[in-house]
Amino acid sequence: MKQNAVFSRRKFIRAAGVGAALPTVWTQPRASDQEQLQTLLTRKESNIWLFTGDSITHGAKHTHGFRSYPEVFAERIRWELKRVRDIVINTGISGNAIPNILSDFDWRVSQFKPAVVSLMIGTNDCARAGMTPDLFAQNLTTIVGKIRDLGAVPILHTPNPIILEKAPERRTLPEYIPVIRNVAEQKQVVLVDHFSHWQNTTDIDVNREWLNDPLHPGPRGHQEIARLLFKTLSIFDPQEATCGGPYYEGEH
């Protein structure tokens, strides 16, 4: 073929006639994460819900044998909502920060092929040498991208407030909370803002009732974390036991 017979795309359009146009390709807009979560909660197919994070998600020690918030979530999903074939996995590890999860992502997250990944992190990051809010933001953005690359829906949590004067090594934690909120807003991720909820609860002594030590929620604190998650996902029902409703079948 002669060189002058090779048409550029623009020349081809002109040759086809003035006003000719390529067909418009319509694409379906991506459903929001909240919409995707509602679909997952109502579809017939089963889901894998994965929780990861540090000792708060792990539920280590400070629950005194009671349920951690991922376990309360499992009761809500698998029993009260009758999604008995859904699976709830907890890969939180006490003492971890976000670099630990990133370096162990395949083992902690990917291998389970989750539909949803819930992440609460930051309480240890703020005490790590070399960590800054800016670096934390980069890490958090990276992990959101890795979760979405799996085809999963991410959920971000702010950690609960701590008693700063009794945990001076974590005095910068309040600087990390806006980072989590900003990443959630920028990446359009569902956010469960426990830090705000705990700070705005004034009818009880939150530190005494919800914390077991300066950092870790006790059993009541884990219930509150779970219930705010339920409210964020629009699955809170005050009549159900996991949401605080009365339940007793004893006979005397």
Side-chain angles (χ1 to χ4, degrees):
M1 182 181 292
K2 294 182 179 180
Q3 185 174 359
N4 60 6
V6 179
F7 278 63
S8 69
R9 179 174 177 272
R10 182 172 297 177
K11 289 179 180 179
F12 176 81
I13 292 173
R14 287 175 179 171
V18 176
L22 295 178
T24 302
V25 177
W26 297 98
T27 57
Q28 186 71 20
R30 185 182 73 87
S32 70
D33 285 0
Q34 189 68 263
E35 291 170 334
Q36 291 185 67
L37 287 166
Q38 295 309 308
T39 297
L40 292 172
L41 285 162
T42 56
R43 71 177 185 171
K44 292 182 179 180
E45 295 84 0
S46 301
N47 305 310
I48 295 177
W49 306 79
L50 189 140
F51 289 76
T52 197
D54 51 33
S55 57
I56 299 173
T57 300
H58 188 165
K61 184 179 179 179
H62 298 279
T63 54
H64 297 283
F66 290 88
R67 283 174 168 166
S68 63
Y69 78 89
E71 292 172 317
V72 179
F73 178 86
E75 174 74 357
R76 180 80 183 113
I77 290 290
R78 300 189 65 245
W79 177 247
E80 293 176 351
L81 294 182
K82 306 306 180 189
R83 298 192 57 85
V84 294
R85 295 192 71 253
D86 278 17
I87 297 173
V88 179
I89 299 171
N90 183 357
T91 67
I93 297 178
S94 180
N96 272 196
I98 200 167
N100 302 109
I101 301 172
L102 281 170
S103 64
D104 203 20
F105 192 82
D106 288 345
W107 178 253
R108 300 267 295 270
V109 182
S110 299
Q111 67 159 323
F112 299 106
K113 299 180 175 59
V116 179
V117 178
S118 168
L119 173 66
M120 182 192 294
I121 206 72
T123 305
N124 293 325
D125 294 85
C126 67
R128 286 285 179 95
M131 182 58 70
T132 65
D134 286 344
L135 181 56
F136 181 73
Q138 294 175 27
N139 287 335
L140 195 58
T141 300
T142 297
I143 204 166
V144 166
K146 289 175 73 69
I147 292 168
R148 286 203 165 128
D149 286 345
L150 296 176
V153 180
I155 298 175
L156 294 181
H157 301 249
T158 56
N160 55 270
I162 65 177
I163 304 175
L164 293 173
E165 59 269 25
K166 295 186 177 182
E169 74 285 356
R170 289 172 169 81
R171 63 187 178 278
T172 61
L173 177 61
E175 299 174 20
Y176 286 71
I177 305 306
V179 173
I180 300 170
R181 292 171 180 156
N182 289 340
V183 170
E185 181 178 5
Q186 291 168 6
K187 298 301 178 181
Q188 298 182 325
V189 177
V190 171
L191 175 69
V192 190
D193 197 345
H194 305 287
F195 199 89
S196 176
H197 173 55
W198 287 43
Q199 282 192 324
N200 292 327
T201 298
T202 57
D203 56 336
I204 64 169
D205 185 338
V206 168
N207 288 347
R208 180 175 294 277
E209 298 293 331
W210 294 358
L211 285 177
N212 185 64
D213 72 355
L215 307 178
H216 299 91
R220 184 73 178 88
H222 276 271
Q223 290 175 339
E224 282 300 318
I225 290 172
R227 290 169 190 173
L228 187 61
L229 175 58
F230 299 158
K231 291 174 182 177
T232 303
L233 299 182
S234 300
I235 58 171
F236 181 82
D237 182 348
Q239 301 303 312
E240 295 286 2
T242 61
C243 303
Y247 179 75
Y248 187 66
E249 290 184 1
E251 294 182 3
H252 299 282

